[in-house]
């Protein structure tokens, strides 16, 4: 009996042990005593790095190429920031890194990198003007975050810009008519404001050039919040001293503050800036007058402008822009920009060279006060209709400018541009003129980019309805008024400008509602 009980007990134990082993195997657990792990089983895997990028959309600029100096893409008016490969337009961006590496002082320094843009002296005074594909584009019509008329009108310092974006070709469909009257035919230029990146930054700079002009600058940024949703950036520059041209002295101050918030659904950008330039004895342009041959250029350091010549430019500006994601595919956006009492005063010579560099000199003094307001609002969305995708934008944009100018004109005497004499400021009763001009431009754009074959083939359709109104009131009591409206497709051919009576301001090159201002630039 004892032997049988022992045999049954052992059998039960073996059965129970086998059951436990099968249970552990079924549960995915291997008994520790099954085998010992050897060192050959310890294998280290290569590091896998997962990266992502935010798509170029709305206010998110396209990423820069390797080296960080140029990006293929930029702001396409109301359509927003786009990669150049996704739109049927030619657009390219120059980054702040390029401006720092090349020590660009003004917008014109940066634009000289582009073969389709030439830079010259604008307004016949101390300001830059540009030609895009051979067509004029004055400083009035450089956009700031897509809004016309916000930035200083004659000279724009590089430290105000995070990116300089050049749109080449007729742009009335995407951006409307610039209120300054130039631009939109050969292309447009847009400056993107500075905002804080993900990493803290503090850059201090100093410089020295020419006979004695020195400058200092600071560019600092920081993000705040548990998810870095708040950002602040400050960029400022101060310069003063003598320039390379004889008896020319310059004082330059500019700063810009950029604040932003980026949440789960909404994003807000706020920018405010100030720029002031004072130039004493600044050398201005020279007209050939009745000369039958272009005279030889004077020495580059020679100043044929009398000492009373000079200019003072001061502009305060601001902009607020926001986006809100209504759904996963639809976003509402709006922007408002203002220029508060921009002032420009200028005392310059108007030299008309005659034989052997002899020139008659006129004292021409202007005082301008400018107030601008620009706005945008609209919707952007993405829709699928079977195999065809639709990137849709519908938006409204407007710009308003009040241009108040006074000027006087008086003969100053004669000089020679190769051997100048410092003329005293003339006395007498000047010829006085002036006017108050109000310009309003507004319109609605509808754009649909259709994507075929998984968006390998893109087709952009759309149109813009545009209205333009100009009301000029000279101080002699007369008045001039112009108003018109057009519908512009994405690509339009230029038509011959229609004839307008002499009593109406002359509007030339009304191609796709891209018009030149009827008011003389001052």
């Amino acid at each position: 009996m004892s032997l049988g009980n022992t045999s049954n007990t052992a059998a039960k134990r073996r059965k129970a042990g086998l059951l436990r082993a099968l249970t552990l195997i079924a549960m995915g657990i291997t008994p520790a005593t099954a085998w010992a792990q050897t060192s050959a089983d310890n294998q280290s895997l290569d590091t896998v790095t997962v990266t992502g990028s935010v798509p170029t959309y709305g206010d998110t600029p396209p990423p820069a190429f390797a080296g960080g100096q140029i990006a293929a893409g930029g702001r396409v008016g109301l359509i927003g920031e786009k990669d150049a490969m996704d739109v049927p337009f030619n657009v390219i961006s120059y980054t702040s890194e390029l401006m720092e590496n090349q020590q660009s002082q003004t917008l014109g320094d940066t634009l000289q990198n582009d073969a389709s843009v030439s830079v010259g002296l604008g307004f016949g005074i101390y300001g830059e003007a540009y030609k895009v594909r051979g067509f004029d584009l004055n400083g009035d019509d450089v956009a700031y975050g897509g809004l016309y008329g916000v930035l200083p009108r004659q000279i724009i310092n590089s430290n105000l810009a995070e990116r300089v974006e050049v749109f080449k070709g007729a742009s009335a469909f995407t951006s409307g008519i610039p209120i300054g009257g130039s631009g939109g035919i050969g292309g447009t230029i847009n400056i993107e404001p500075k905002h804080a990146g993900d990493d803290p930054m503090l850059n201090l700079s100093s410089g020295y050039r020419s006979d004695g002009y020195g400058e200092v600058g600071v560019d600092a940024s920081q993000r705040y919040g548990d998810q870095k949703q708040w950002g602040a950036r400050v960029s400022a520059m101060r310069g003063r001293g003598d320039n390379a041209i004889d008896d020319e002295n310059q004082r330059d101050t500019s700063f810009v503050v950029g604040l932003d918030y980026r949440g789960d659904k909404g994003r807000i950008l706020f920018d405010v800036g100030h720029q002031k330039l004072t130039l004493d004895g600044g050398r201005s342009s020279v007209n050939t007058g009745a000369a039958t041959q272009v005279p030889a250029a004077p020495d580059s350091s020679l100043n044929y402008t009398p000492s009373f010549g000079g200019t003072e430019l001061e502009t305060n500006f601001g902009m607020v822009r926001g986006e809100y994601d209504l759904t996963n595919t639809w976003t509402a956006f709006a922007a408002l920009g203002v220029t508060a009492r921009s002032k420009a005063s200028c005392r310059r010579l108007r030299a008309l060279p005659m034989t052997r560099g002899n020139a008659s000199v006129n004292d021409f003094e202007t005082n301008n006060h400018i107030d601008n307001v620009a706005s945008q609002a609209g919707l952007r969305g993405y829709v699928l209709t079977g195999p065809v995708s639709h990137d849709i934008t519908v938006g409204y944009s407007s710009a308003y400018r009040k241009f108040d100018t006074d000027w006087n004109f008086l003969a100053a005497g004669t000089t020679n541009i190769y051997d100048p004499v410092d003329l005293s400021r003339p006395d007498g009763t000047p010829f006085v003129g002036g006017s108050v001009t109000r310009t309003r431009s507004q319109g609605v754009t509808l754009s649909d980019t259709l994507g075929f074959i998984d968006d390998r083939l893109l087709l952009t359709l759309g149109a813009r309805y545009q209205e333009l109104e100009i009301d000029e009131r000279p101080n002699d009591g007369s008045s001039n008024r112009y108003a018109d409206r057009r519908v512009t497709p994405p690509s339009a051919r230029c038509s011959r400008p229609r004839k307008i009576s002499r009593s109406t301001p002359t509007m030339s090159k009304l191609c796709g509602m891209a018009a030149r201002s009827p008011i003389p630039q001052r």
Side-chain angles (χ1 to χ4, degrees):
M1 294 293 297
S2 170
L3 182 59
N5 290 337
T6 301
S7 177
N8 292 337
T9 301
K12 291 179 180 180
R13 288 177 178 174
R14 287 193 299 271
K15 185 177 180 180
L18 180 60
L19 182 61
R20 285 197 299 271
L22 292 174
T23 302
L24 292 173
I25 293 173
M27 295 175 60
I29 302 175
T30 303
T33 57
W35 60 77
Q37 191 176 38
T38 64
S39 60
D41 297 320
N42 293 326
Q43 297 181 2
S44 59
L45 300 177
D46 295 336
T47 302
V48 178
T49 303
V50 179
T51 59
S53 61
V54 178
T56 300
Y57 193 73
D59 291 328
T60 304
F65 288 122
Q69 300 190 79
I70 296 177
R75 188 173 293 276
V76 185
L78 284 169
I79 299 176
E81 292 280 353
K82 288 290 186 180
D83 190 293
M85 298 299 292
D86 295 336
V87 290
F89 308 109
N90 189 328
V91 58
I92 190 170
S93 299
Y94 301 97
T95 68
S96 58
E97 184 172 343
L98 177 138
M99 301 177 214
E100 294 172 4
N101 292 343
Q102 296 184 347
Q103 301 181 32
S104 298
Q105 301 295 317
T106 66
L107 173 61
D109 294 338
T110 302
L111 291 174
Q112 293 188 49
N113 289 281
D114 200 308
S116 65
V117 182
S118 58
V119 182
L121 189 66
F123 311 101
I125 52 174
Y126 316 103
E128 292 181 339
Y130 322 100
K131 286 184 179 292
V132 183
R133 292 184 171 179
F135 292 95
D136 290 339
L137 177 66
N138 292 327
D140 302 65
D141 298 328
V142 175
Y144 189 53
L147 299 179
Y148 284 129
V150 178
L151 289 170
R153 70 182 297 256
Q154 292 179 207
I155 294 179
I156 302 172
N157 289 342
S158 294
N159 71 302
L160 303 180
E162 177 64 22
R163 289 196 177 185
V164 173
E165 302 173 337
V166 182
F167 181 105
K168 306 169 190 177
S171 61
F173 163 68
T174 60
S175 304
I177 301 178
I179 56 174
S182 68
I185 304 174
T188 58
I189 298 170
N190 177 67
I191 286 181
E192 284 297 301
K194 289 185 171 183
H195 288 283
D198 292 331
D199 299 322
M201 180 187 66
L202 176 59
N203 292 333
L204 302 176
S205 61
S206 62
Y208 177 84
R209 72 173 190 264
S210 66
D211 289 349
Y213 183 88
E215 65 181 22
V216 294
V218 60
D219 191 358
S221 68
Q222 177 73 53
R223 300 207 69 86
Y224 305 91
D226 54 352
Q227 297 181 355
K228 295 185 177 181
Q229 62 268 37
W230 300 94
R233 184 169 179 179
V234 177
S235 180
M237 184 275 292
R238 169 66 173 170
R240 182 169 185 170
D242 294 330
N243 288 331
I245 297 175
D246 293 341
D247 302 319
E248 187 178 277
N249 182 274
Q250 179 177 337
R251 297 182 299 279
D252 201 350
T253 302
S254 62
F255 73 84
V256 63
V257 177
L259 307 176
D260 70 278
Y261 169 79
R262 54 191 190 192
D264 293 336
K265 290 189 174 183
R267 295 157 298 280
I268 299 177
L269 308 174
F270 175 75
D271 301 275
V272 61
H274 167 83
Q275 179 178 298
K276 182 175 182 179
L277 168 66
T278 302
L279 188 64
D280 295 326
R283 188 172 73 173
S284 61
S285 61
V286 175
N287 301 320
T288 57
T292 58
Q293 295 181 346
V294 177
D299 187 274
S300 59
S301 64
L302 191 65
N303 195 345
Y304 43 75
T305 299
S307 57
F308 63 79
T311 189
E312 182 173 307
L313 312 172
E314 183 176 3
T315 303
N316 301 304
F317 58 93
M319 179 178 66
V320 60
R321 174 180 294 278
E323 291 182 327
Y324 187 79
D325 299 331
L326 302 174
T327 66
N328 291 334
T329 57
W330 285 94
T331 298
F333 65 92
L336 177 67
V338 296
T339 300
R341 208 62 179 167
S342 176
K343 297 183 293 183
S345 62
C346 176
R347 304 175 307 278
R348 69 184 188 273
L349 109 167
R350 298 188 67 178
L352 303 178
M354 302 301 178
T355 307
R356 298 175 182 175
N358 294 323
S360 60
V361 178
N362 300 314
D363 176 21
F364 187 40
E365 181 174 353
T366 60
N367 290 281
N368 302 327
H369 293 83
I370 306 169
D371 295 303
N372 294 334
V373 179
S375 64
Q376 286 182 357
L379 292 171
R380 300 188 184 102
Y382 188 83
V383 178
L384 285 174
T385 56
V388 181
S389 66
H390 300 265
D391 192 349
I392 301 172
T393 298
V394 55
Y396 165 85
S397 65
S398 68
Y400 169 81
R401 180 175 77 166
K402 179 185 177 184
F403 194 118
D404 188 351
T405 181
D406 295 298
W407 55 271
N408 59 68
F409 182 86
L410 190 64
T414 60
T415 187
N416 188 287
I417 62 174
Y418 307 115
D419 185 19
V421 294
D422 188 10
L423 300 173
S424 59
R425 193 165 188 178
D427 296 325
T429 302
F431 180 80
V432 178
S435 63
V436 177
T437 304
R438 291 175 171 85
T439 305
R440 187 184 305 276
S441 172
Q442 60 181 344
V444 178
T445 295
L446 174 62
S447 170
D448 184 5
T449 299
L450 288 76
F452 304 91
I453 319 174
D454 294 331
D455 290 346
R456 292 184 178 90
L457 176 64
L458 301 176
L459 174 65
T460 297
L461 303 175
R464 177 177 177 85
Y465 172 78
Q466 179 77 45
E467 294 180 350
L468 176 66
E469 181 179 349
I470 302 173
D471 185 7
E472 181 193 19
R473 301 295 176 94
N475 56 10
D476 61 4
S478 62
S479 65
N480 296 313
R481 188 176 182 274
Y482 175 88
D484 203 352
R485 59 185 59 87
R486 294 287 176 87
V487 175
T488 305
S491 59
R493 293 189 177 186
C494 291
S495 59
R496 297 175 65 91
R498 65 184 181 87
K499 295 182 179 180
I500 301 175
S501 63
R502 291 184 178 273
S503 61
T504 308
T506 302
M507 300 295 294
S508 64
K509 295 183 179 178
L510 259 170
C511 167
M513 285 301 289
R516 181 185 304 277
S517 171
I519 310 305
Q521 299 293 338
R522 289 175 285 270

